Amino acid sequence: QVHLAESGGGSVQAGGSLTLSCAASGYTYNWNSWNCLGWFRQVPGKEREGVAAIYRVGGSTYYHHSVKGRFTISRDNAKNTVTLQMNSLKVEDTGMYYCATAFRTTSPLDRVGDFDEWGQGTQVTVSS
């Protein structure tokens, strides 16, 4: 059973913006069960890479160097959602974007294996 659901993907031209959201899917998922939520992207033939991450308590954030200054991750613990605001999109941002949660991770963008709950992904396509 998938407990997370992404939304907000789509197709935009380079320079445009998209907002991705991650929320609990279904009534049984305990939104407070995770400590870190990450956004990952994957393109065919490449490994899944961490794009941004946020800690539920404290709100510390982490960004891949390629998206710093362009992407912003934020959480709304009252609404049980995490948002990834993506601005100044580039063609190389194209990929399937997944949100995932981890109870414990020491390196949220690098340790993909620490994340054990995953959504089904939402496609982001940026054209030139």
Side-chain angles (χ1 to χ4, degrees), residues 3-104:
H3 293 132
L4 299 173
E6 304 93 340
S7 61
S11 297
V12 294
Q13 288 192 322
S17 299
L18 284 173
T19 304
L20 304 185
S21 292
C22 179
S25 175
Y27 295 104
T28 60
Y29 185 64
N30 181 2
W31 188 251
N32 294 321
S33 65
W34 58 271
N35 287 316
C36 184
L37 187 146
W39 282 97
F40 300 82
R41 68 184 172 201
Q42 189 167 26
V43 296
K46 291 189 176 181
E47 292 186 353
R48 197 168 293 188
E49 66 176 358
V51 174
I54 189 167
Y55 279 84
R56 184 174 57 83
V57 178
S60 296
T61 57
Y62 301 82
Y63 296 96
H64 190 274
H65 63 84
S66 67
V67 307
K68 278 185 179 178
R70 300 189 297 119
F71 290 12
T72 302
I73 188 170
S74 60
R75 77 202 191 292
D76 187 331
N77 289 340
K79 295 183 178 179
N80 291 350
T81 58
V82 171
T83 298
L84 183 67
Q85 178 65 44
M86 305 188 296
N87 298 327
S88 302
L89 282 162
K90 302 178 180 180
V91 172
E92 51 264 41
D93 293 320
T94 294
M96 184 69 78
Y97 282 70
Y98 300 88
C99 66
T101 58
F103 180 75
R104 180 181 292 113

